[in-house]
Amino acid sequence: MQELEERIVREGTVKPGNVLKVDAFLNHQCDVGLFDHMGAAWAEHFAGKRVDKILTIEASGIGIACLAARHFGDVPVVFAKKAQSINLDGDQYSTIVYSFTKQKEFPVIVSKKYLSAGEHVLLIDDFLANGKAMQGLIALCKAAGAVIEGIGIAVEKGFQDGGETLRAEGYDVDSLAIVDSMDADTGSITFRH
């Protein structure tokens, strides 16, 4: 998606350790118009697939998933929580994932009343690097008996193995911008086309 790539080049910052900082428009301050265009792109890619629900993970995926849902008939958006809370009651699906950004493991939890057997689910997230968060969402869907129709990613780090692994497992992964390389010293970013 050219619009997203242009924003990454213009406003993104490459940090040491393969970190791409895009908080000006994607995962801290949110550009709602851009999110809407991203949702339209995913709707075009996944046209013809049944999507009953969108599943993401807190926190950065929530805004993106909500705008994307508008392009799938306003389907519900469910987000996996990263911590147990008193508001999360009843039976739950839970797994553990490792965060590349936070450099630690954390639980991801979804109430069983919001993810059901036979539901057709589209998974959405802001970043895909090693794919651990996405594997966590997949595990929750498998536990529920939900059908994964596809995976929508805003930015994929193509030089890490998450996307390749998911595609090898048979998932339809639509990443709107795939970064093939980036250099913290020069700030350069190369996209896959």
Side-chain angles (χ1 to χ4, degrees):
M1 182 179 170
Q2 187 171 348
E3 179 184 4
L4 179 57
E5 290 179 3
E6 288 171 359
R7 291 293 293 277
I8 292 168
V9 169
R10 193 169 62 243
E11 299 175 47
T13 306
V14 180
K15 300 282 194 179
N18 287 328
V19 173
L20 178 57
K21 190 173 164 127
V22 289
D23 60 346
F25 59 92
L26 191 67
N27 55 16
H28 192 53
Q29 177 170 269
C30 302
D31 184 327
V32 177
L34 175 64
F35 288 10
D36 186 58
H37 298 160
M38 291 163 52
W42 286 318
E44 184 178 326
H45 179 87
F46 295 112
K49 292 199 175 182
R50 176 179 159 192
V51 176
D52 303 318
K53 190 166 282 183
I54 293 177
L55 177 64
T56 190
I57 192 164
E58 70 174 355
S60 298
I62 298 171
I64 298 167
C66 287
L67 269 289
R70 302 303 311 258
H71 296 275
F72 290 91
D74 292 322
V75 297
V77 172
V78 176
F79 63 91
K81 294 183 174 255
K82 291 182 180 175
Q84 191 60 255
S85 76
I86 60 171
N87 291 329
L88 197 55
D89 58 356
D91 292 336
Q92 304 160 357
Y93 300 110
S94 175
T95 190
I96 302 291
V97 300
Y98 179 79
S99 169
F100 173 81
T101 309
K102 295 187 173 46
Q103 300 285 301
K104 67 176 189 173
E105 287 186 334
F106 56 87
V108 287
I109 307 159
V110 171
S111 172
K112 288 187 177 182
K113 63 184 167 188
Y114 299 127
L115 190 61
S116 305
E119 283 185 313
H120 291 248
V121 178
L122 176 63
L123 306 179
I124 298 280
D125 207 1
D126 61 338
F127 268 91
L128 175 62
N130 292 317
K132 302 303 183 193
M134 197 52 59
Q135 291 291 353
L137 293 181
I138 290 167
L140 295 175
C141 287
K142 286 182 176 177
V147 178
I148 298 169
E149 287 291 346
I151 299 170
I153 300 293
V155 182
E156 177 181 338
K157 293 179 179 177
F159 53 88
Q160 293 180 267
D161 64 356
E164 183 180 316
T165 300
L166 291 168
R167 290 178 184 95
E169 291 173 2
Y171 294 105
D172 181 0
V173 180
D174 185 34
S175 297
L176 301 180
I178 301 177
V179 177
D180 265 342
S181 66
M182 53 190 196
D183 187 314
D185 293 331
T186 65
S188 67
I189 301 168
T190 304
F191 295 99
R192 183 179 304 167
H193 290 114

